[in-house]
PDB file of all heavy atoms in Angstrom:
ATOM      1  N   PHE N 226       4.087  -7.461  -7.822  1.00 98.00           N
ATOM      2  CA  PHE N 226       2.753  -7.082  -7.959  1.00 98.00           C
ATOM      3  C   PHE N 226       2.659  -5.535  -7.990  1.00 98.00           C
ATOM      4  O   PHE N 226       3.205  -4.929  -7.120  1.00 98.00           O
ATOM      5  CB  PHE N 226       1.913  -7.648  -6.784  1.00 98.00           C
ATOM      6  CG  PHE N 226       2.161  -9.096  -6.561  1.00 98.00           C
ATOM      7  CD1 PHE N 226       3.175  -9.530  -5.716  1.00 98.00           C
ATOM      8  CD2 PHE N 226       1.343 -10.000  -7.288  1.00 98.00           C
ATOM      9  CE1 PHE N 226       3.379 -10.883  -5.575  1.00 98.00           C
ATOM     10  CE2 PHE N 226       1.647 -11.350  -7.142  1.00 98.00           C
ATOM     11  CZ  PHE N 226       2.611 -11.804  -6.277  1.00 98.00           C
ATOM     12  N   VAL N 227       2.083  -5.076  -9.046  1.00 98.00           N
ATOM     13  CA  VAL N 227       1.962  -3.581  -9.187  1.00 98.00           C
ATOM     14  C   VAL N 227       0.511  -3.251  -9.589  1.00 98.00           C
ATOM     15  O   VAL N 227      -0.242  -4.038 -10.063  1.00 98.00           O
ATOM     16  CB  VAL N 227       2.969  -2.988 -10.309  1.00 98.00           C
ATOM     17  CG1 VAL N 227       4.352  -3.407  -9.993  1.00 98.00           C
ATOM     18  CG2 VAL N 227       2.527  -3.488 -11.674  1.00 98.00           C
ATOM     19  N   SER N 228       0.235  -1.927  -9.380  1.00 98.00           N
ATOM     20  CA  SER N 228      -1.171  -1.468  -9.587  1.00 98.00           C
ATOM     21  C   SER N 228      -1.230   0.029  -9.635  1.00 98.00           C
ATOM     22  O   SER N 228      -0.373   0.614  -8.925  1.00 98.00           O
ATOM     23  CB  SER N 228      -2.082  -2.050  -8.548  1.00 98.00           C
ATOM     24  OG  SER N 228      -3.273  -1.415  -8.455  1.00 98.00           O
ATOM     25  N   ALA N 229      -2.227   0.557 -10.268  1.00 98.00           N
ATOM     26  CA  ALA N 229      -2.426   2.028 -10.205  1.00 98.00           C
ATOM     27  C   ALA N 229      -3.409   2.428  -9.113  1.00 98.00           C
ATOM     28  O   ALA N 229      -3.731   3.557  -8.936  1.00 98.00           O
ATOM     29  CB  ALA N 229      -2.933   2.542 -11.532  1.00 98.00           C
ATOM     30  N   THR N 230      -3.900   1.385  -8.407  1.00 98.00           N
ATOM     31  CA  THR N 230      -5.097   1.637  -7.564  1.00 98.00           C
ATOM     32  C   THR N 230      -4.821   2.511  -6.311  1.00 98.00           C
ATOM     33  O   THR N 230      -5.736   3.143  -5.791  1.00 98.00           O
ATOM     34  CB  THR N 230      -5.752   0.303  -7.130  1.00 98.00           C
ATOM     35  OG1 THR N 230      -4.789  -0.499  -6.478  1.00 98.00           O
ATOM     36  CG2 THR N 230      -6.314  -0.418  -8.343  1.00 98.00           C
ATOM     37  N   LYS N 231      -3.622   2.533  -5.776  1.00 98.00           N
ATOM     38  CA  LYS N 231      -3.298   3.339  -4.619  1.00 98.00           C
ATOM     39  C   LYS N 231      -2.992   4.750  -5.074  1.00 98.00           C
ATOM     40  O   LYS N 231      -3.508   5.720  -4.531  1.00 98.00           O
ATOM     41  CB  LYS N 231      -2.119   2.755  -3.787  1.00 98.00           C
ATOM     42  CG  LYS N 231      -2.479   1.483  -3.016  1.00 98.00           C
ATOM     43  CD  LYS N 231      -3.531   1.532  -1.979  1.00 98.00           C
ATOM     44  CE  LYS N 231      -4.699   0.691  -2.417  1.00 98.00           C
ATOM     45  NZ  LYS N 231      -5.875   0.808  -1.473  1.00 98.00           N
ATOM     46  N   ALA N 232      -2.096   4.901  -5.988  1.00 98.00           N
ATOM     47  CA  ALA N 232      -1.554   6.224  -6.365  1.00 98.00           C
ATOM     48  C   ALA N 232      -2.611   7.072  -7.084  1.00 98.00           C
ATOM     49  O   ALA N 232      -2.559   8.335  -7.080  1.00 98.00           O
ATOM     50  CB  ALA N 232      -0.305   6.101  -7.221  1.00 98.00           C
ATOM     51  N   TRP N 233      -3.625   6.377  -7.719  1.00 98.00           N
ATOM     52  CA  TRP N 233      -4.660   7.137  -8.409  1.00 98.00           C
ATOM     53  C   TRP N 233      -6.066   6.857  -7.849  1.00 98.00           C
ATOM     54  O   TRP N 233      -7.039   7.198  -8.515  1.00 98.00           O
ATOM     55  CB  TRP N 233      -4.584   6.931  -9.936  1.00 98.00           C
ATOM     56  CG  TRP N 233      -3.390   7.581 -10.598  1.00 98.00           C
ATOM     57  CD1 TRP N 233      -3.339   8.822 -11.125  1.00 98.00           C
ATOM     58  CD2 TRP N 233      -2.112   6.967 -10.874  1.00 98.00           C
ATOM     59  NE1 TRP N 233      -2.076   9.079 -11.633  1.00 98.00           N
ATOM     60  CE2 TRP N 233      -1.282   7.937 -11.503  1.00 98.00           C
ATOM     61  CE3 TRP N 233      -1.485   5.710 -10.625  1.00 98.00           C
ATOM     62  CZ2 TRP N 233      -0.011   7.694 -11.872  1.00 98.00           C
ATOM     63  CZ3 TRP N 233      -0.211   5.492 -10.949  1.00 98.00           C
ATOM     64  CH2 TRP N 233       0.574   6.467 -11.634  1.00 98.00           C
ATOM     65  N   ASN N 234      -6.088   6.167  -6.745  1.00 98.00           N
ATOM     66  CA  ASN N 234      -7.415   5.914  -6.082  1.00 98.00           C
ATOM     67  C   ASN N 234      -8.427   5.233  -6.893  1.00 98.00           C
ATOM     68  O   ASN N 234      -9.533   5.620  -7.146  1.00 98.00           O
ATOM     69  CB  ASN N 234      -8.026   7.270  -5.545  1.00 98.00           C
ATOM     70  CG  ASN N 234      -9.021   7.024  -4.504  1.00 98.00           C
ATOM     71  OD1 ASN N 234      -8.767   6.170  -3.567  1.00 98.00           O
ATOM     72  ND2 ASN N 234     -10.143   7.724  -4.546  1.00 98.00           N
ATOM     73  N   LEU N 235      -8.009   4.045  -7.415  1.00 98.00           N
ATOM     74  CA  LEU N 235      -8.973   3.244  -8.320  1.00 98.00           C
ATOM     75  C   LEU N 235      -9.293   1.914  -7.739  1.00 98.00           C
ATOM     76  O   LEU N 235      -9.661   0.934  -8.524  1.00 98.00           O
ATOM     77  CB  LEU N 235      -8.203   3.047  -9.673  1.00 98.00           C
ATOM     78  CG  LEU N 235      -7.662   4.356 -10.300  1.00 98.00           C
ATOM     79  CD1 LEU N 235      -6.768   4.016 -11.576  1.00 98.00           C
ATOM     80  CD2 LEU N 235      -8.815   5.230 -10.779  1.00 98.00           C
ATOM     81  N   ALA N 236      -9.238   1.675  -6.394  1.00 98.00           N
ATOM     82  CA  ALA N 236      -9.288   0.358  -5.836  1.00 98.00           C
ATOM     83  C   ALA N 236     -10.619  -0.353  -6.236  1.00 98.00           C
ATOM     84  O   ALA N 236     -10.630  -1.509  -6.416  1.00 98.00           O
ATOM     85  CB  ALA N 236      -9.160   0.401  -4.298  1.00 98.00           C
ATOM     86  N   GLY N 237     -11.654   0.423  -6.350  1.00 98.00           N
ATOM     87  CA  GLY N 237     -12.988  -0.189  -6.607  1.00 98.00           C
ATOM     88  C   GLY N 237     -13.105  -0.711  -8.080  1.00 98.00           C
ATOM     89  O   GLY N 237     -14.038  -1.394  -8.397  1.00 98.00           O
ATOM     90  N   LEU N 238     -12.148  -0.278  -8.953  1.00 98.00           N
ATOM     91  CA  LEU N 238     -12.262  -0.614 -10.402  1.00 98.00           C
ATOM     92  C   LEU N 238     -11.630  -2.016 -10.768  1.00 98.00           C
ATOM     93  O   LEU N 238     -11.927  -2.536 -11.819  1.00 98.00           O
ATOM     94  CB  LEU N 238     -11.672   0.431 -11.237  1.00 98.00           C
ATOM     95  CG  LEU N 238     -12.440   1.791 -11.134  1.00 98.00           C
ATOM     96  CD1 LEU N 238     -11.884   2.815 -12.148  1.00 98.00           C
ATOM     97  CD2 LEU N 238     -13.971   1.602 -11.493  1.00 98.00           C
ATOM     98  N   LYS N 239     -10.743  -2.479  -9.884  1.00 98.00           N
ATOM     99  CA  LYS N 239     -10.247  -3.862 -10.052  1.00 98.00           C
ATOM    100  C   LYS N 239      -9.346  -4.087 -11.243  1.00 98.00           C
ATOM    101  O   LYS N 239      -9.832  -4.657 -12.301  1.00 98.00           O
ATOM    102  CB  LYS N 239     -11.358  -4.855 -10.032  1.00 98.00           C
ATOM    103  CG  LYS N 239     -12.075  -4.900  -8.648  1.00 98.00           C
ATOM    104  CD  LYS N 239     -11.202  -5.484  -7.572  1.00 98.00           C
ATOM    105  CE  LYS N 239     -11.705  -5.190  -6.173  1.00 98.00           C
ATOM    106  NZ  LYS N 239     -10.672  -5.159  -5.167  1.00 98.00           N
ATOM    107  N   ALA N 240      -8.060  -3.765 -11.118  1.00 98.00           N
ATOM    108  CA  ALA N 240      -7.130  -4.234 -12.124  1.00 98.00           C
ATOM    109  C   ALA N 240      -5.712  -4.117 -11.544  1.00 98.00           C
ATOM    110  O   ALA N 240      -5.403  -3.164 -10.790  1.00 98.00           O
ATOM    111  CB  ALA N 240      -7.138  -3.362 -13.348  1.00 98.00           C
ATOM    112  N   SER N 241      -4.847  -5.059 -11.738  1.00 98.00           N
ATOM    113  CA  SER N 241      -3.443  -5.035 -11.305  1.00 98.00           C
ATOM    114  C   SER N 241      -2.677  -5.897 -12.257  1.00 98.00           C
ATOM    115  O   SER N 241      -3.230  -6.642 -13.078  1.00 98.00           O
ATOM    116  CB  SER N 241      -3.375  -5.502  -9.836  1.00 98.00           C
ATOM    117  OG  SER N 241      -3.523  -6.899  -9.765  1.00 98.00           O
ATOM    118  N   LEU N 242      -1.346  -5.785 -12.119  1.00 98.00           N
ATOM    119  CA  LEU N 242      -0.472  -6.679 -12.910  1.00 98.00           C
ATOM    120  C   LEU N 242       0.429  -7.525 -11.999  1.00 98.00           C
ATOM    121  O   LEU N 242       0.931  -7.032 -10.949  1.00 98.00           O
ATOM    122  CB  LEU N 242       0.476  -5.741 -13.728  1.00 98.00           C
ATOM    123  CG  LEU N 242      -0.160  -5.048 -14.970  1.00 98.00           C
ATOM    124  CD1 LEU N 242       0.860  -4.093 -15.588  1.00 98.00           C
ATOM    125  CD2 LEU N 242      -0.676  -6.079 -15.985  1.00 98.00           C
ATOM    126  N   VAL N 243       0.614  -8.751 -12.452  1.00 98.00           N
ATOM    127  CA  VAL N 243       1.653  -9.630 -11.858  1.00 98.00           C
ATOM    128  C   VAL N 243       2.803  -9.651 -12.862  1.00 98.00           C
ATOM    129  O   VAL N 243       2.592  -9.880 -14.058  1.00 98.00           O
ATOM    130  CB  VAL N 243       1.071 -11.082 -11.640  1.00 98.00           C
ATOM    131  CG1 VAL N 243       2.157 -11.946 -11.057  1.00 98.00           C
ATOM    132  CG2 VAL N 243      -0.175 -10.965 -10.801  1.00 98.00           C
ATOM    133  N   ILE N 244       4.025  -9.296 -12.370  1.00 98.00           N
ATOM    134  CA  ILE N 244       5.162  -9.300 -13.300  1.00 98.00           C
ATOM    135  C   ILE N 244       6.220 -10.279 -12.886  1.00 98.00           C
ATOM    136  O   ILE N 244       6.621 -10.374 -11.679  1.00 98.00           O
ATOM    137  CB  ILE N 244       5.829  -7.888 -13.359  1.00 98.00           C
ATOM    138  CG1 ILE N 244       4.770  -6.821 -13.494  1.00 98.00           C
ATOM    139  CG2 ILE N 244       6.864  -7.805 -14.370  1.00 98.00           C
ATOM    140  CD1 ILE N 244       5.381  -5.355 -13.521  1.00 98.00           C
ATOM    141  N   ALA N 245       6.593 -11.133 -13.813  1.00 98.00           N
ATOM    142  CA  ALA N 245       7.547 -12.200 -13.472  1.00 98.00           C
ATOM    143  C   ALA N 245       8.954 -11.691 -13.894  1.00 98.00           C
ATOM    144  O   ALA N 245       9.101 -11.029 -14.921  1.00 98.00           O
ATOM    145  CB  ALA N 245       7.216 -13.494 -14.331  1.00 98.00           C
ATOM    146  N   GLY N 246       9.922 -12.134 -13.089  1.00 98.00           N
ATOM    147  CA  GLY N 246      11.330 -11.950 -13.503  1.00 98.00           C
ATOM    148  C   GLY N 246      11.580 -12.984 -14.629  1.00 98.00           C
ATOM    149  O   GLY N 246      10.760 -13.863 -14.862  1.00 98.00           O
ATOM    150  N   ALA N 247      12.719 -12.752 -15.312  1.00 98.00           N
ATOM    151  CA  ALA N 247      12.962 -13.532 -16.547  1.00 98.00           C
ATOM    152  C   ALA N 247      12.964 -15.059 -16.278  1.00 98.00           C
ATOM    153  O   ALA N 247      12.600 -15.924 -17.149  1.00 98.00           O
ATOM    154  CB  ALA N 247      14.312 -13.125 -17.112  1.00 98.00           C
ATOM    155  N   GLU N 248      13.269 -15.414 -15.015  1.00 98.00           N
ATOM    156  CA  GLU N 248      13.280 -16.916 -14.704  1.00 98.00           C
ATOM    157  C   GLU N 248      11.980 -17.374 -14.031  1.00 98.00           C
ATOM    158  O   GLU N 248      11.961 -18.511 -13.575  1.00 98.00           O
ATOM    159  CB  GLU N 248      14.475 -17.204 -13.766  1.00 98.00           C
ATOM    160  CG  GLU N 248      15.831 -16.984 -14.453  1.00 98.00           C
ATOM    161  CD  GLU N 248      16.954 -16.833 -13.443  1.00 98.00           C
ATOM    162  OE1 GLU N 248      16.882 -17.431 -12.391  1.00 98.00           O
ATOM    163  OE2 GLU N 248      17.862 -16.044 -13.738  1.00 98.00           O
ATOM    164  N   ALA N 249      10.967 -16.497 -14.049  1.00 98.00           N
ATOM    165  CA  ALA N 249       9.730 -16.890 -13.318  1.00 98.00           C
ATOM    166  C   ALA N 249       8.587 -16.808 -14.258  1.00 98.00           C
ATOM    167  O   ALA N 249       7.404 -16.921 -13.875  1.00 98.00           O
ATOM    168  CB  ALA N 249       9.556 -16.056 -12.071  1.00 98.00           C
ATOM    169  N   VAL N 250       8.828 -16.697 -15.582  1.00 98.00           N
ATOM    170  CA  VAL N 250       7.736 -16.456 -16.499  1.00 98.00           C
ATOM    171  C   VAL N 250       6.794 -17.665 -16.598  1.00 98.00           C
ATOM    172  O   VAL N 250       5.540 -17.514 -16.584  1.00 98.00           O
ATOM    173  CB  VAL N 250       8.302 -16.169 -17.953  1.00 98.00           C
ATOM    174  CG1 VAL N 250       7.175 -15.944 -18.951  1.00 98.00           C
ATOM    175  CG2 VAL N 250       9.150 -14.915 -17.830  1.00 98.00           C
ATOM    176  N   ALA N 251       7.404 -18.864 -16.435  1.00 98.00           N
ATOM    177  CA  ALA N 251       6.503 -20.053 -16.529  1.00 98.00           C
ATOM    178  C   ALA N 251       5.564 -20.100 -15.339  1.00 98.00           C
ATOM    179  O   ALA N 251       4.457 -20.511 -15.443  1.00 98.00           O
ATOM    180  CB  ALA N 251       7.408 -21.326 -16.523  1.00 98.00           C
ATOM    181  N   ASP N 252       5.987 -19.601 -14.165  1.00 98.00           N
ATOM    182  CA  ASP N 252       5.171 -19.561 -12.957  1.00 98.00           C
ATOM    183  C   ASP N 252       3.997 -18.662 -13.211  1.00 98.00           C
ATOM    184  O   ASP N 252       2.880 -19.066 -12.869  1.00 98.00           O
ATOM    185  CB  ASP N 252       5.958 -19.110 -11.771  1.00 98.00           C
ATOM    186  CG  ASP N 252       7.062 -20.098 -11.359  1.00 98.00           C
ATOM    187  OD1 ASP N 252       6.778 -21.330 -11.473  1.00 98.00           O
ATOM    188  OD2 ASP N 252       8.157 -19.641 -10.999  1.00 98.00           O
ATOM    189  N   VAL N 253       4.142 -17.509 -13.710  1.00 98.00           N
ATOM    190  CA  VAL N 253       2.960 -16.592 -13.925  1.00 98.00           C
ATOM    191  C   VAL N 253       2.095 -17.101 -14.986  1.00 98.00           C
ATOM    192  O   VAL N 253       0.835 -16.986 -14.932  1.00 98.00           O
ATOM    193  CB  VAL N 253       3.281 -15.098 -14.061  1.00 98.00           C
ATOM    194  CG1 VAL N 253       4.082 -14.585 -12.910  1.00 98.00           C
ATOM    195  CG2 VAL N 253       3.928 -14.787 -15.381  1.00 98.00           C
ATOM    196  N   ARG N 254       2.675 -17.771 -15.966  1.00 96.00           N
ATOM    197  CA  ARG N 254       1.777 -18.340 -17.044  1.00 96.00           C
ATOM    198  C   ARG N 254       0.999 -19.577 -16.470  1.00 96.00           C
ATOM    199  O   ARG N 254       0.004 -19.967 -17.101  1.00 96.00           O
ATOM    200  CB  ARG N 254       2.657 -18.776 -18.266  1.00 96.00           C
ATOM    201  CG  ARG N 254       3.410 -17.591 -18.824  1.00 96.00           C
ATOM    202  CD  ARG N 254       3.378 -17.589 -20.360  1.00 96.00           C
ATOM    203  NE  ARG N 254       3.893 -16.286 -20.840  1.00 96.00           N
ATOM    204  CZ  ARG N 254       4.966 -16.108 -21.529  1.00 96.00           C
ATOM    205  NH1 ARG N 254       5.729 -17.168 -21.844  1.00 96.00           N
ATOM    206  NH2 ARG N 254       5.390 -14.887 -21.889  1.00 96.00           N
ATOM    207  N   ALA N 255       1.452 -20.096 -15.360  1.00 97.00           N
ATOM    208  CA  ALA N 255       0.703 -21.286 -14.781  1.00 97.00           C
ATOM    209  C   ALA N 255      -0.554 -20.831 -13.944  1.00 97.00           C
ATOM    210  O   ALA N 255      -1.276 -21.661 -13.586  1.00 97.00           O
ATOM    211  CB  ALA N 255       1.708 -22.086 -13.922  1.00 97.00           C
ATOM    212  N   ILE N 256      -0.673 -19.503 -13.806  1.00 96.00           N
ATOM    213  CA  ILE N 256      -1.864 -19.030 -13.101  1.00 96.00           C
ATOM    214  C   ILE N 256      -3.110 -19.266 -14.031  1.00 96.00           C
ATOM    215  O   ILE N 256      -3.027 -19.009 -15.216  1.00 96.00           O
ATOM    216  CB  ILE N 256      -1.801 -17.485 -12.805  1.00 96.00           C
ATOM    217  CG1 ILE N 256      -0.586 -17.277 -11.888  1.00 96.00           C
ATOM    218  CG2 ILE N 256      -3.047 -16.930 -12.243  1.00 96.00           C
ATOM    219  CD1 ILE N 256      -0.288 -15.715 -11.673  1.00 96.00           C
TER     220      ILE N 256
END
Side-chain angles (χ1 to χ4, degrees):
F226 307 89
V227 303
S228 162
T230 57
K231 291 298 116 181
W233 288 273
N234 199 41
L235 306 173
L238 295 183
K239 294 292 163 203
S241 75
L242 288 174
V243 179
I244 311 180
E248 293 159 33
V250 179
D252 294 322
V253 301
R254 299 223 170 114
I256 296 171

